Amino acid sequence: MAAFNWPLLSISVWFDEGFTDTLIGFSFADIWRYTAADVHPPLYYWTLKAWSLMFGDSVVALRMLSVTFAAAAIVLATRLASLLFSKRAATATAIALFISPVTLRYAHEMRMYAMVAMLAFAATLMLLRASASGRRRDWTIYGLLIAAGMWTHYFMVLVWLSHWAWRAVAVHRTAPGWQAWMRAFFSRSWLATHMLGIALFLPWVPAVVTQMKTVRKGGFWIPEVSWSTLPGFVSDTLAFREFGELSVPEGICIFAIAAACVVLGVRAWRRSAGRARRGWLLLFCLAGVPPVLLLLFSLPPLTSSFISRYLVPSSLALTMIAAIAVTWPDHGRVWRFVRGATGIALVATLCFGMAAEYRLGDFNKVEQASSESQSLIAQIRERSGDNAVIVADTPIFYYEASTYETDASPVLYIPPLTYEWGSLAMLKDTDIGRADDLPRLAADNGSIWVISQVQQSSFGEGYDGLAELSRFTMTDPITGRDLYLAVQYGATS
């Protein structure tokens, strides 16, 4: 897994990763406080903080935690396929998830999504074990995993709801009749398990309320949903391509493969019995319930929160369905041919998606911009030496660029008039990175470099007390548009 991700482990960080890198520089208590001002819970950040204390805080070292979680997610998903179906299904799952662009994308990112996938598959396995054994210990572990998931990412609740959907159907088959179903579904163990998960999450509820107020006040950046949202989720899962990026031939091929996998999966489900039939139902719930619910909760007048990275467990479950469907035993000659052709096409599509991920790296598809601050700072140091003082024109850009500061070459930021975003709370409360007096900073160091993201700023008009010495721009390697502007200033007196 690390070898597959190695070319991506050292690419430039983007804003969310830069925020993460800055945040884990604080104490565990401060991480609680500053995460509460942002939009996510703190468990991943605490875990990464502990990891950094053991393995260092370089970009590669920090990203290796996500590689570890992604590898664990593949192992757990493979175990799930073996438990529900067969060794053949487990092998197909391992191969498909290993070459999945979704796995590759989030295995190298300094964010919580690989951890979310690991927790989702661990909880699913424990749900099956607890349902079969009925032991209090197993249900307790499941409850702990429910809590851990919610402390990692709020949309893990969608995974728990997919578990509810699966249990609802499974219980219905063994307890016909409404009253019998209610008693069986809301069993004492099931209720106690969720009460445990909720109780463990309660300390964070005040922070959730604060975060909701922050989002409502500052707005949200996720685009509105449309008719192409779910098709885009499928194309992003299989080929790392948004629906709007697809040419007509690409769209036809990708959705023909997806449709063939669905048909083969449904056929396999209908021809299955017992454990395998329940397994298909579980995968269908994991893959389908979260994206449908998130789409419904994103429709107007509600604010959209539908973005593919919030649905990583569903993407991986969808990939599992496709992989198991094309390798499911079938005695019909025509169906064997269909499965073989679809399987070859599926592998080719996943590999196509991997190639796109290697090419695009952390390209932001929402803003249509790459993250190349590492290269920008390297170019500045080539021009001015390893002791160049660099100042980001916004605190937002500071998070991304400060990852590459050194003791000799610090990265600072120009303070804004207001710190309206919760993610800026740790800058507002401390003096880290502040560049309050640019002329004096330039005088003390001979010169300074002020850097800007061209799309995010109107910077470039100059500052009082500073004289421009030189400038250069960097273009986006993907779009070819101007990406960054760097201006070297000296003090006028």
Side-chain angles (χ1 to χ4, degrees), residues 88-280:
R88 174 189 288 191
T91 301
T93 292
I95 293 173
L97 295 187
F98 193 74
I99 64 174
S100 164
V102 174
T103 306
L104 182 66
R105 174 71 176 86
Y106 298 108
H108 78 267
E109 191 168 274
M110 203 190 305
R111 297 294 286 167
M112 68 282 295
Y113 305 109
M115 183 176 178
V116 165
M118 185 272 293
L119 287 171
F121 284 116
T124 302
L125 278 168
M126 189 51 61
L127 171 65
L128 292 173
R129 181 172 178 175
S131 298
S133 70
R135 290 194 296 262
R136 179 182 299 179
R137 181 188 65 181
D138 294 339
W139 281 117
T140 300
I141 295 174
Y142 180 64
L144 293 174
L145 289 168
I146 287 177
M150 293 301 297
W151 278 92
T152 304
H153 198 281
Y154 299 133
F155 287 165
M156 278 293 283
V157 71
L158 299 174
V159 175
W160 312 143
L161 291 175
S162 71
H163 288 175
W164 278 54
W166 173 78
R167 178 176 167 86
V169 177
V171 168
H172 174 71
R173 294 181 176 179
T174 58
W178 177 251
Q179 292 183 344
W181 180 89
M182 287 289 288
R183 285 193 300 269
F185 184 87
F186 293 104
S187 65
R188 181 178 300 178
S189 297
W190 184 254
L191 292 175
T193 294
H194 286 80
M195 288 176 64
L196 172 63
I198 293 170
L200 292 174
F201 186 67
L202 281 177
W204 187 250
V205 169
V208 177
V209 175
T210 301
Q211 290 174 337
M212 291 177 65
K213 292 179 180 178
T214 300
V215 170
R216 190 160 49 243
K217 177 182 177 182
F220 216 41
W221 56 269
I222 298 177
E224 293 183 357
V225 296
S226 67
W227 65 269
S228 64
T229 297
L230 286 180
F233 167 71
V234 174
S235 62
D236 189 61
T237 294
L238 297 180
F240 193 56
R241 298 289 295 274
E242 301 289 344
F243 185 79
E245 299 177 81
L246 298 174
S247 65
V248 173
E250 289 174 338
I252 292 174
C253 290
I254 289 173
F255 290 106
I257 293 168
C261 289
V262 169
V263 170
L264 292 172
V266 171
R267 176 179 168 83
W269 167 67
R270 295 183 64 180
R271 294 165 64 89
S272 302
R275 182 185 62 183
R277 193 175 182 89
R278 292 193 299 273
W280 280 113

Side-chain angles (χ1 to χ4, degrees), residues 1 5 15 17 25 66 144 171 204 208 258 265 305 331 401 405 407 423 454 476:
M1 195 72 207
N5 279 273
F15 167 75
E17 291 183 292
S66 291
L144 293 174
V171 168
W204 187 250
V208 177
S305 53
H331 299 297
E405 71 175 356
D407 291 339
S423 57
V454 173
D476 192 312

